[in-house]
Amino acid sequence: MVPAAGRGERLGPGAPKALRGLGGVPLLVHAVRALARSRAVTLVVVVAPADGVARVRGMLADAGAEGSDSGPRVLVVPGGATRQESVRLGLAALPPEVDVVLVHDAARPLVPVEVVDAVARAVDEGAQAVVPAVPLADTVKRVGPADGPGRPEPVLDTPDRSMLRAVQTPQGFRRDLLQSVHDKALSDGSDATDDAGLVERYGGQVVVVPGHEEAFKVTRPLDLVLAEAVLARRRAHDDF
Ligand code: C5P
């Protein structure tokens, strides 16, 4: 599943983030192709901005990503006001026979197929919830509130960096577990920035497999510059 219904305001004004171009192709199309490259993927559910379903269907059809005979089937459904709601709407659109779900942000267009395969394999081999992750380059500090606007924030402590990971997508789940944590979150009114966070909140075990530096999230304008460079390098090496 690809939740792609966010506005992406940190990227600056313009079209919804998933529909912005990277190498002349929308981020969303890259993300769908990245999943479709994995033989573990049989269906891709795209959760589109509610007012952009027809546009997204057209975009995927133009790119040959929708309804092609070779790759997985692609289904486009309308999303919601939050990422969590969009994932819930995507889950509701899954056919009954699906029992493993990978949730992949449209904002991570360049995830290598090895990462998709590793996540799917870990779920197949018995994990309930799997996230790809990479070690942190930066030291991270926990801060408290500043004592006034524009004042420096006091540092509370420095977590041991060797124990920290930056989490990427696709995140993989047993479908029944993902459905039950989303149902609980809806009735509790709780919110998490990723799906694995919901599993943790309700006491489930999440495990980590190696992610990849090219699976970074396109959030700010500089990320698009980096993504263009990665894509140009892949195209130059003819493996894309
Ligand atoms: O905003 P952020 O980058 O964390 O969004 C992560 C992913 O969730 C993006 O692919 C975005 O399109 C999606 N999303 C969504 N529905 C929303 C908000 C975000 O599908 N209402």
Coordinates of all heavy atoms in Angstrom, one line a residue, residues 157-227:
D157 N 19.4 15.4 27.6 CA 20.4 14.3 27.6 C 20.7 13.9 26.1 O 20.1 14.4 25.2 CB 19.9 13.1 28.4 CG 18.6 12.6 27.9 OD1 18.3 12.6 26.7 OD2 17.8 12.1 28.8
T158 N 21.7 12.9 26.0 CA 22.2 12.5 24.7 C 22.0 11.0 24.6 O 22.8 10.2 25.3 CB 23.7 12.8 24.5 OG1 23.8 14.2 24.7 CG2 24.2 12.5 23.1
P159 N 21.0 10.4 23.9 CA 20.8 9.0 23.8 C 22.0 8.3 23.2 O 22.7 9.0 22.3 CB 19.6 8.8 23.0 CG 18.9 10.1 22.9 CD 20.0 11.2 23.2
D160 N 22.4 7.1 23.6 CA 23.5 6.4 23.0 C 23.2 6.1 21.5 O 22.3 5.4 21.2 CB 23.7 5.1 23.7 CG 24.7 4.2 23.1 OD1 25.4 4.6 22.1 OD2 24.9 3.1 23.6
R161 N 24.0 6.8 20.6 CA 23.7 6.7 19.2 C 23.7 5.3 18.6 O 23.0 5.0 17.7 CB 24.7 7.6 18.4 CG 24.2 7.9 17.0 CD 25.1 8.9 16.3 NE 26.5 8.3 16.1 CZ 27.5 9.0 15.7 NH1 27.4 10.3 15.5 NH2 28.7 8.5 15.5
S162 N 24.5 4.4 19.2 CA 24.6 3.1 18.7 C 23.3 2.3 18.9 O 23.1 1.3 18.2 CB 25.8 2.3 19.3 OG 25.5 2.1 20.7
M163 N 22.5 2.8 19.7 CA 21.2 2.1 19.9 C 20.0 2.7 19.1 O 18.9 2.3 19.3 CB 20.8 2.1 21.4 CG 21.9 1.7 22.4 SD 21.7 0.1 23.1 CE 20.0 0.1 23.6
L164 N 20.3 3.8 18.4 CA 19.3 4.5 17.6 C 19.3 4.1 16.2 O 20.3 3.8 15.6 CB 19.4 6.0 17.8 CG 19.3 6.5 19.2 CD1 19.6 8.0 19.2 CD2 18.0 6.3 19.8
R165 N 18.1 4.1 15.5 CA 18.0 3.8 14.1 C 17.0 4.8 13.5 O 16.0 5.1 14.1 CB 17.4 2.4 13.9 CG 18.3 1.3 14.4 CD 19.5 1.1 13.6 NE 20.4 0.0 14.1 CZ 21.3 0.2 15.1 NH1 21.6 1.4 15.5 NH2 22.0 -0.9 15.5
A166 N 17.3 5.2 12.3 CA 16.3 6.0 11.5 C 15.5 5.1 10.7 O 16.0 4.3 9.9 CB 17.0 7.0 10.6
V167 N 14.2 5.1 10.9 CA 13.3 4.1 10.3 C 12.7 4.6 8.9 O 12.4 5.8 8.8 CB 12.1 3.9 11.3 CG1 11.0 3.0 10.7 CG2 12.7 3.2 12.5
Q168 N 12.7 3.7 8.0 CA 12.2 4.0 6.7 C 10.9 3.2 6.3 O 10.3 2.6 7.2 CB 13.3 3.6 5.7 CG 14.7 4.3 6.0 CD 15.8 3.9 5.1 OE1 15.8 2.7 4.7 NE2 16.7 4.8 4.8
T169 N 10.6 3.1 5.1 CA 9.5 2.3 4.6 C 10.0 1.6 3.4 O 11.0 2.0 2.8 CB 8.2 3.0 4.3 OG1 8.4 3.8 3.1 CG2 7.8 4.0 5.4
P170 N 9.4 0.4 2.9 CA 8.1 -0.1 3.4 C 8.2 -0.8 4.8 O 9.2 -1.4 5.1 CB 7.8 -1.1 2.3 CG 9.1 -1.6 1.7 CD 9.9 -0.3 1.8
Q171 N 7.2 -0.6 5.6 CA 7.0 -1.3 6.8 C 6.1 -2.5 6.5 O 5.1 -2.3 5.9 CB 6.5 -0.4 7.9 CG 7.4 0.8 8.1 CD 7.0 1.6 9.4 OE1 6.0 1.4 9.9 NE2 7.9 2.5 9.8
G172 N 6.4 -3.7 7.0 CA 5.7 -4.9 6.7 C 4.9 -5.4 7.9 O 5.4 -5.4 9.0
F173 N 3.7 -5.9 7.7 CA 2.9 -6.4 8.8 C 2.0 -7.6 8.4 O 1.6 -7.7 7.2 CB 1.9 -5.3 9.2 CG 2.5 -4.0 9.6 CD1 2.7 -3.0 8.6 CD2 2.9 -3.7 10.8 CE1 3.4 -1.8 8.8 CE2 3.5 -2.5 11.1 CZ 3.8 -1.6 10.1
R174 N 1.7 -8.4 9.4 CA 0.6 -9.4 9.2 C -0.7 -8.5 9.1 O -0.9 -7.6 9.9 CB 0.4 -10.3 10.4 CG 1.6 -11.1 10.8 CD 2.0 -12.2 9.8 NE 1.0 -12.9 9.2 CZ 1.1 -13.7 8.2 NH1 2.3 -13.9 7.6 NH2 0.1 -14.4 7.7
R175 N -1.5 -8.7 8.2 CA -2.6 -7.9 7.9 C -3.5 -7.8 9.2 O -4.0 -6.7 9.5 CB -3.5 -8.4 6.8 CG -4.7 -7.6 6.6 CD -5.7 -8.4 5.7 NE -6.9 -7.5 5.3 CZ -7.6 -7.7 4.3 NH1 -7.3 -8.7 3.4 NH2 -8.6 -7.0 4.0
D176 N -3.8 -8.9 9.8 CA -4.7 -8.9 11.0 C -4.2 -8.0 12.1 O -4.9 -7.3 12.8 CB -5.1 -10.3 11.5 CG -3.9 -11.2 11.6 OD1 -2.8 -10.7 11.4 OD2 -4.1 -12.4 12.0
L177 N -2.8 -8.0 12.3 CA -2.3 -7.1 13.3 C -2.4 -5.7 13.0 O -2.8 -4.8 13.8 CB -0.8 -7.5 13.5 CG 0.0 -6.6 14.5 CD1 -0.5 -6.8 15.9 CD2 1.5 -6.8 14.4
L178 N -2.1 -5.3 11.7 CA -2.2 -3.9 11.3 C -3.6 -3.4 11.4 O -3.8 -2.3 11.9 CB -1.6 -3.8 9.8 CG -1.5 -2.4 9.3 CD1 -0.5 -1.6 10.2 CD2 -1.0 -2.4 7.9
Q179 N -4.5 -4.3 11.0 CA -6.0 -3.9 11.1 C -6.3 -3.7 12.6 O -7.0 -2.6 12.9 CB -6.8 -5.0 10.5 CG -8.3 -4.6 10.5 CD -8.6 -3.6 9.4 OE1 -8.3 -3.7 8.3 NE2 -9.2 -2.4 9.9
S180 N -5.9 -4.5 13.5 CA -6.4 -4.4 14.8 C -5.7 -3.2 15.5 O -6.4 -2.5 16.3 CB -6.1 -5.7 15.6 OG -4.9 -5.7 16.2
V181 N -4.5 -2.9 15.2 CA -3.9 -1.7 15.9 C -4.5 -0.4 15.3 O -4.7 0.6 16.0 CB -2.4 -1.6 15.8 CG1 -1.7 -2.7 16.6 CG2 -1.8 -1.5 14.4
H182 N -4.9 -0.4 14.0 CA -5.6 0.8 13.5 C -7.0 0.9 14.1 O -7.4 2.0 14.3 CB -5.6 0.7 11.9 CG -4.4 1.3 11.3 ND1 -4.3 2.7 11.0 CD2 -3.2 0.8 11.0 CE1 -3.1 3.0 10.5 NE2 -2.5 1.9 10.5
D183 N -7.7 -0.2 14.3 CA -9.0 -0.2 14.9 C -8.9 0.4 16.3 O -9.7 1.2 16.7 CB -9.6 -1.6 15.0 CG -10.0 -2.1 13.6 OD1 -10.1 -1.3 12.7 OD2 -10.3 -3.3 13.5
K184 N -7.9 -0.1 17.1 CA -7.7 0.4 18.5 C -7.4 1.9 18.4 O -7.9 2.7 19.3 CB -6.6 -0.3 19.2 CG -7.0 -1.7 19.6 CD -5.8 -2.4 20.3 CE -6.1 -3.9 20.6 NZ -4.9 -4.7 20.5
A185 N -6.5 2.3 17.5 CA -6.1 3.7 17.5 C -7.3 4.6 17.2 O -7.5 5.7 17.7 CB -5.0 3.9 16.5
L186 N -8.2 4.1 16.3 CA -9.4 4.9 16.0 C -10.3 5.0 17.2 O -10.8 6.1 17.5 CB -10.1 4.2 14.8 CG -11.4 4.9 14.3 CD1 -11.0 6.2 13.7 CD2 -12.0 4.0 13.2
S187 N -10.5 3.9 17.9 CA -11.4 4.1 19.1 C -10.7 4.8 20.2 O -11.4 5.5 21.0 CB -11.9 2.7 19.5 OG -10.9 1.9 20.0
D188 N -9.4 4.8 20.4 CA -8.7 5.6 21.4 C -8.5 7.0 21.0 O -8.0 7.8 21.8 CB -7.3 5.0 21.7 CG -7.3 3.7 22.3 OD1 -8.4 3.1 22.5 OD2 -6.2 3.1 22.5
G189 N -8.6 7.3 19.7 CA -8.2 8.7 19.3 C -6.7 8.9 19.3 O -6.2 10.0 19.4
S190 N -5.9 7.8 19.2 CA -4.4 8.0 19.3 C -3.8 8.1 17.9 O -4.4 7.6 16.9 CB -3.8 7.0 20.2 OG -3.9 5.7 19.6
D191 N -2.7 8.7 17.9 CA -2.0 9.0 16.6 C -0.5 8.6 16.7 O 0.1 8.6 17.7 CB -2.1 10.5 16.5 CG -2.1 11.0 15.1 OD1 -2.3 10.1 14.2 OD2 -2.1 12.2 14.8
A192 N 0.0 8.1 15.6 CA 1.5 7.8 15.6 C 2.0 8.2 14.2 O 1.2 8.3 13.2 CB 1.7 6.3 15.7
T193 N 3.3 8.5 14.1 CA 3.8 9.0 12.9 C 4.1 7.8 11.9 O 4.3 8.0 10.7 CB 5.1 9.8 13.0 OG1 6.0 9.1 13.9 CG2 4.8 11.2 13.7
D194 N 4.2 6.6 12.5 CA 4.3 5.5 11.5 C 3.5 4.3 12.1 O 3.0 4.3 13.2 CB 5.8 5.1 11.3 CG 6.5 4.4 12.5 OD1 5.9 4.6 13.6 OD2 7.5 3.8 12.3
D195 N 3.3 3.3 11.2 CA 2.4 2.2 11.6 C 3.0 1.3 12.6 O 2.3 0.8 13.5 CB 2.0 1.4 10.3 CG 1.3 2.3 9.3 OD1 0.1 2.5 9.5 OD2 2.0 2.8 8.4
A196 N 4.3 1.1 12.5 CA 5.0 0.3 13.5 C 4.8 0.9 14.9 O 4.7 0.2 15.9 CB 6.5 0.2 13.2
G197 N 4.8 2.2 15.0 CA 4.6 2.9 16.3 C 3.3 2.5 16.9 O 3.2 2.4 18.1
L198 N 2.3 2.3 16.1 CA 1.0 1.8 16.7 C 1.1 0.4 17.2 O 0.6 0.1 18.3 CB -0.1 1.8 15.6 CG -0.6 3.2 15.1 CD1 -1.7 3.0 14.1 CD2 -1.2 4.0 16.3
V199 N 1.8 -0.4 16.5 CA 2.1 -1.8 17.0 C 2.8 -1.8 18.3 O 2.3 -2.5 19.3 CB 2.9 -2.6 16.0 CG1 3.2 -4.0 16.5 CG2 2.1 -2.8 14.6
E200 N 3.8 -1.0 18.4 CA 4.5 -0.8 19.7 C 3.6 -0.4 20.8 O 3.6 -0.9 21.9 CB 5.7 0.2 19.6 CG 6.8 -0.3 18.7 CD 7.5 0.9 18.0 OE1 7.9 1.9 18.8 OE2 7.8 0.9 16.8
R201 N 2.8 0.6 20.5 CA 1.9 1.2 21.5 C 1.0 0.2 22.1 O 0.7 0.2 23.3 CB 1.0 2.3 20.9 CG 0.1 3.0 21.9 CD -0.4 4.3 21.4 NE 0.7 5.1 20.9 CZ 0.5 6.2 20.2 NH1 -0.7 6.5 19.7 NH2 1.6 6.9 19.8
Y202 N 0.5 -0.8 21.3 CA -0.4 -1.8 21.8 C 0.3 -3.1 22.2 O -0.3 -4.2 22.3 CB -1.5 -2.0 20.8 CG -2.4 -0.7 20.7 CD1 -2.3 0.0 19.5 CD2 -3.1 -0.2 21.7 CE1 -3.0 1.2 19.4 CE2 -3.8 1.0 21.6 CZ -3.8 1.6 20.4 OH -4.5 2.8 20.3
G203 N 1.6 -3.0 22.4 CA 2.3 -4.2 23.0 C 2.9 -5.2 22.0 O 3.3 -6.3 22.4
G204 N 2.8 -4.9 20.7 CA 3.3 -5.9 19.7 C 4.8 -5.7 19.5 O 5.4 -4.7 19.9
Q205 N 5.4 -6.8 19.0 CA 6.9 -6.8 18.7 C 7.2 -6.3 17.3 O 6.7 -6.9 16.4 CB 7.4 -8.2 19.0 CG 8.9 -8.4 18.6 CD 9.8 -7.6 19.7 OE1 9.8 -7.9 20.8 NE2 10.5 -6.6 19.2
V206 N 8.0 -5.3 17.2 CA 8.5 -4.8 15.9 C 9.9 -5.2 15.8 O 10.7 -5.0 16.7 CB 8.3 -3.3 15.8 CG1 8.7 -2.8 14.4 CG2 6.8 -2.9 16.0
V207 N 10.4 -5.7 14.6 CA 11.8 -6.0 14.4 C 12.3 -5.1 13.2 O 11.6 -4.6 12.4 CB 12.1 -7.5 14.1 CG1 11.7 -8.3 15.4 CG2 11.3 -7.9 12.9
V208 N 13.7 -5.0 13.2 CA 14.3 -4.1 12.3 C 15.1 -4.9 11.3 O 15.8 -5.9 11.7 CB 15.2 -3.1 13.0 CG1 16.2 -2.4 12.0 CG2 14.4 -2.0 13.7
V209 N 15.0 -4.6 10.0 CA 16.0 -5.2 9.0 C 16.7 -4.0 8.4 O 16.3 -2.9 8.5 CB 15.2 -6.0 7.9 CG1 14.5 -7.2 8.5 CG2 14.2 -5.1 7.1
P210 N 17.9 -4.3 7.7 CA 18.6 -3.2 7.2 C 17.9 -2.4 6.1 O 17.3 -3.0 5.2 CB 19.9 -3.9 6.5 CG 20.0 -5.2 7.2 CD 18.5 -5.6 7.5
G211 N 17.9 -1.1 6.3 CA 17.3 -0.2 5.2 C 18.4 0.2 4.3 O 19.4 -0.6 4.1
H212 N 18.2 1.3 3.6 CA 19.2 1.7 2.6 C 19.2 3.2 2.5 O 18.2 3.9 2.6 CB 18.8 1.1 1.2 CG 19.9 1.2 0.2 ND1 20.2 2.3 -0.4 CD2 20.7 0.2 -0.3 CE1 21.2 2.1 -1.3 NE2 21.5 0.8 -1.2
E213 N 20.5 3.8 2.3 CA 20.5 5.2 2.3 C 19.7 5.9 1.1 O 19.3 7.0 1.2 CB 22.0 5.7 2.2 CG 22.7 5.2 0.9 CD 24.1 5.7 0.8 OE1 24.6 6.5 1.7 OE2 24.8 5.4 -0.1
E214 N 19.4 5.1 0.1 CA 18.6 5.7 -1.0 C 17.1 5.6 -0.8 O 16.3 6.1 -1.6 CB 19.0 5.0 -2.3 CG 20.5 5.3 -2.7 CD 20.9 4.7 -4.0 OE1 20.1 4.0 -4.7 OE2 22.1 4.9 -4.3
A215 N 16.7 5.0 0.4 CA 15.3 5.0 0.7 C 14.9 6.2 1.5 O 13.9 6.2 2.2 CB 15.0 3.7 1.5
F216 N 15.7 7.3 1.5 CA 15.4 8.5 2.2 C 14.1 9.1 1.8 O 13.6 8.9 0.7 CB 16.5 9.5 2.1 CG 16.7 10.0 0.7 CD1 16.1 11.2 0.3 CD2 17.6 9.4 -0.1 CE1 16.3 11.7 -1.0 CE2 17.8 9.9 -1.4 CZ 17.1 11.0 -1.9
K217 N 13.5 9.9 2.7 CA 12.2 10.5 2.5 C 12.4 11.9 1.9 O 13.2 12.7 2.4 CB 11.4 10.6 3.8 CG 10.0 11.2 3.5 CD 9.0 10.8 4.6 CE 9.2 11.6 5.9 NZ 8.1 11.4 6.8
V218 N 11.7 12.2 0.8 CA 11.7 13.5 0.2 C 10.7 14.4 1.0 O 9.5 14.2 0.9 CB 11.3 13.4 -1.3 CG1 11.2 14.8 -1.9 CG2 12.3 12.6 -2.1
T219 N 11.3 15.3 1.8 CA 10.5 16.1 2.7 C 10.7 17.6 2.3 O 9.7 18.3 2.2 CB 10.9 15.9 4.2 OG1 10.7 14.5 4.5 CG2 10.0 16.7 5.1
R220 N 12.0 18.0 2.2 CA 12.3 19.4 2.0 C 12.9 19.6 0.6 O 13.3 18.6 0.0 CB 13.3 19.8 3.1 CG 12.7 19.7 4.4 CD 13.7 20.2 5.5 NE 13.1 19.9 6.8 CZ 13.3 18.8 7.4 NH1 14.0 17.8 6.9 NH2 12.7 18.6 8.6
P221 N 13.0 20.8 0.1 CA 13.5 21.0 -1.3 C 14.8 20.4 -1.5 O 15.1 19.8 -2.6 CB 13.5 22.6 -1.4 CG 12.5 23.0 -0.4 CD 12.4 22.1 0.7
L222 N 15.7 20.4 -0.5 CA 17.1 19.8 -0.7 C 17.0 18.3 -1.0 O 17.8 17.8 -1.7 CB 17.9 20.1 0.5 CG 19.4 19.8 0.4 CD1 20.1 20.6 -0.8 CD2 20.2 20.1 1.7
D223 N 16.0 17.6 -0.4 CA 15.8 16.2 -0.6 C 15.6 15.9 -2.1 O 16.0 14.9 -2.6 CB 14.7 15.6 0.2 CG 14.9 15.9 1.7 OD1 16.1 15.8 2.2 OD2 14.0 16.1 2.4
L224 N 14.8 16.8 -2.8 CA 14.6 16.6 -4.2 C 15.8 16.7 -5.0 O 16.0 16.0 -6.0 CB 13.5 17.7 -4.7 CG 12.1 17.2 -4.8 CD1 11.3 18.4 -5.4 CD2 11.9 16.0 -5.6
V225 N 16.7 17.6 -4.6 CA 18.0 17.8 -5.3 C 18.8 16.5 -5.2 O 19.3 16.0 -6.2 CB 18.8 19.0 -4.7 CG1 20.2 19.1 -5.4 CG2 18.0 20.3 -4.9
L226 N 18.8 15.9 -4.0 CA 19.5 14.7 -3.8 C 18.9 13.5 -4.6 O 19.6 12.7 -5.2 CB 19.5 14.4 -2.3 CG 20.3 13.1 -1.8 CD1 21.7 13.2 -2.2 CD2 20.1 12.9 -0.3
A227 N 17.6 13.5 -4.6 CA 16.9 12.4 -5.3 C 17.2 12.5 -6.8 O 17.4 11.5 -7.4 CB 15.4 12.5 -5.0

